[in-house]
Amino acid sequence: MHGVMFWKTGQGCEWTEGGTAPLFEPRAVSHLVTWQDGRCGSGFLASLPQPESHLSVATGFGCATIFWLLKNSPEFLKSYDAAGTISDYVVAMLCGLPRPLMSDQNAASWGYFNTRSQSWNLDILRGSGFPVHLLPDTAEPGSVAGRTSHAWFEIPKGTKVGVALGDLQASVYSCMAQRTDAVLNISTSVQLAASMPSGFQPVLTPDPAAPVAYFPYFDRTYLAVAASLNGGNVLATFVHMLVQWMADLGLEVEESAVYSRMIQAAAQQRDTCLTITPTVLGERHLPDQLASVTRISSSDLSLGHVTRALCRGIVQNLHSMLPFQQLKEWGVERVIGSGSALSRNEVLKQEVQRAFPFPVSFGQDVDAAVGAALLMLQRNLNKKES
């Protein structure tokens, strides 16, 4: 939802007969620049114009990437006349749209989009020489972007296609049964989301140092989201480090074996005085912060101690961004825990229950594709009933 790719209108893909059904092959299309892209340093971001939006701009956000390309690779941008997220590209290709169409969820995640007026900050962007012709048109999430221009696998030609949703919002929609639920997803990164009451409006001035962001959800409501860059990727970095150390010592071991052994060791080590701040990737609100290990003693150096401290650090880092007390004030009564890193790590589950003393439901599948399908089915059903 933050990433960007570019294409040439009318030449973004070519439909070909592939076996049993037509396929579309990308043609005049750039590589995808993802949310993990780190080219926009804090100095570069500080040089950008102040957005008229409640959301700050961070590296990996579509508009920040375009500003960087405008400064460092202007010739690259001249090759294209359309841009969007990768899901906006797929929708445009499926429907043969003359211009890309983007939901306000994805637009807000690009930066320089005012969710109150539902419009890009065109005057601010033009004043800085930004190529505003690349910006997609925007639409309400849940609206229809167009119809399929070709049959595609088992989907017939002429099928309605919804405007692409933000993956975070669709994921939350797939499992948030009540407004009093908070959704915690620990996969590569970590997100903790809670629904804000109807009528809530975030303060328009962005605060880059704020750990909680308010993303547009559905029907002009907002999700409060603490989005940490440090989740399962930190555990993977730790495992890779251990494997590399052992290789340096002349021993070979599979990463999967190391992961299972270290979780077993941490499960047996119920507590530790070791403290790990796991922010090896920094955070959007603290981009220059690095990881640290403190309170080191000779009795806390076992694999179990270190892994327990690392899992606790991942959860405590999130808790420092969006504390239990704040969730309680918002009326949250239950946490739904999900994500690949959480589902296979009993120690992380224990630390979540320690930090967030709500009833916690684990094992719920959070799936953006399911959420998108549910939303469109619900909107279709509501139209038929009305």
Side-chain angles (χ1 to χ4, degrees):
M1 57 194 252
H2 296 295
V4 58
M5 61 187 300
F6 305 88
W7 63 93
K8 204 161 182 60
T9 304
Q11 301 175 40
C13 78
E14 180 182 348
W15 285 91
T16 59
E17 292 298 326
T20 58
L23 300 171
F24 73 78
E25 297 285 342
R27 285 295 179 257
V29 180
S30 73
H31 291 297
L32 174 68
V33 182
T34 76
W35 64 272
Q36 293 175 300
D37 184 78
R39 71 186 69 193
C40 300
S42 53
F44 177 80
L45 292 170
S47 72
L48 299 181
Q50 182 80 352
E52 188 184 286
S53 168
H54 72 279
L55 291 167
S56 305
V57 180
T59 187
F61 283 29
C63 283
T65 301
I66 295 173
F67 263 124
W68 189 94
L69 290 167
L70 181 66
K71 180 179 179 181
N72 296 280
S73 301
E75 291 301 315
F76 170 86
L77 291 176
K78 291 178 182 177
S79 304
Y80 305 102
D81 58 6
T85 68
I86 191 167
S87 46
D88 300 323
Y89 165 76
V90 171
V91 169
M93 297 307 106
L94 288 178
C95 301
L97 299 181
R99 280 186 53 77
L101 191 61
M102 178 183 268
S103 69
D104 66 349
Q105 296 174 347
N106 284 344
S109 298
W110 263 29
Y112 294 97
F113 184 80
N114 187 315
T115 56
R116 293 191 189 183
S117 64
Q118 293 285 292
S119 61
W120 297 104
N121 298 168
L122 292 179
D123 290 343
I124 294 171
L125 293 170
R126 283 195 188 103
S128 297
F130 187 97
V132 294
H133 66 279
L134 291 175
L135 294 173
D137 296 332
T138 58
E140 290 267 352
S143 60
V144 173
R147 293 176 180 266
T148 50
S149 59
H150 295 73
W152 193 49
F153 296 99
E154 299 299 316
I155 302 169
K157 179 180 178 180
T159 300
K160 292 178 182 177
V161 180
V163 64
L165 306 177
D167 54 357
L168 170 68
Q169 289 91 334
S171 295
V172 169
Y173 194 85
S174 74
C175 67
M176 186 185 276
Q178 306 289 337
R179 200 197 71 77
T180 52
D181 290 339
V183 177
L184 169 64
N185 179 64
I186 306 182
S187 297
T188 303
S189 54
V190 185
Q191 299 87 31
L192 178 57
S195 178
M196 300 305 289
S198 179
F200 167 83
Q201 286 290 340
V203 177
L204 194 55
T205 307
D207 180 4
V212 175
Y214 299 96
F215 287 104
Y217 193 42
F218 298 104
D219 302 317
R220 298 296 178 92
T221 62
Y222 288 85
L223 284 178
V225 182
S228 170
L229 302 178
N230 301 276
N233 47 9
V234 173
L235 291 168
T237 300
F238 180 60
V239 170
H240 182 73
M241 180 192 76
L242 293 176
V243 169
Q244 187 61 55
W245 281 8
M246 284 184 274
D248 291 343
L249 293 169
L251 303 171
E252 285 192 20
V253 62
E254 293 290 329
E255 289 194 359
S256 58
V258 171
Y259 187 86
S260 60
R261 291 286 181 88
M262 76 184 208
I263 299 304
Q264 287 172 13
Q268 293 168 9
Q269 185 63 54
R270 304 292 295 186
D271 203 3
T272 183
C273 291
L274 192 67
T275 300
I276 297 179
T277 302
T279 47
V280 290
L281 298 172
E283 294 292 2
R284 289 196 177 103
H285 64 289
L286 294 169
D288 299 323
Q289 179 169 310
L290 298 176
S292 63
V293 184
T294 57
R295 302 183 70 193
I296 304 169
S297 72
S298 58
S299 60
D300 291 350
L301 294 178
S302 70
L303 182 61
H305 274 283
V306 176
T307 306
R308 169 67 66 176
L310 186 58
C311 291
R312 181 173 297 172
I314 290 170
V315 176
Q316 286 297 330
N317 178 56
L318 179 70
H319 187 269
S320 71
M321 296 168 67
L322 183 48
F324 155 75
Q325 294 84 352
Q326 180 64 76
L327 292 173
K328 198 171 182 181
E329 285 178 23
W330 288 339
V332 169
E333 297 175 358
R334 179 177 69 150
V335 172
I336 297 171
S338 65
S340 56
L342 190 60
S343 64
R344 61 193 188 118
N345 188 328
E346 195 61 38
V347 180
L348 268 181
K349 291 179 183 178
Q350 293 168 4
E351 294 302 330
V352 167
Q353 290 171 314
R354 184 198 300 259
F356 298 97
F358 294 108
V360 182
S361 171
F362 294 111
Q364 177 88 34
D365 279 339
V366 174
D367 190 312
V370 171
L374 282 173
L375 178 80
M376 296 309 293
L377 286 168
Q378 189 65 51
R379 294 295 162 97
N380 199 43
L381 184 64
N382 291 346
K383 281 185 179 178
K384 286 181 179 178
E385 288 178 349
S386 61

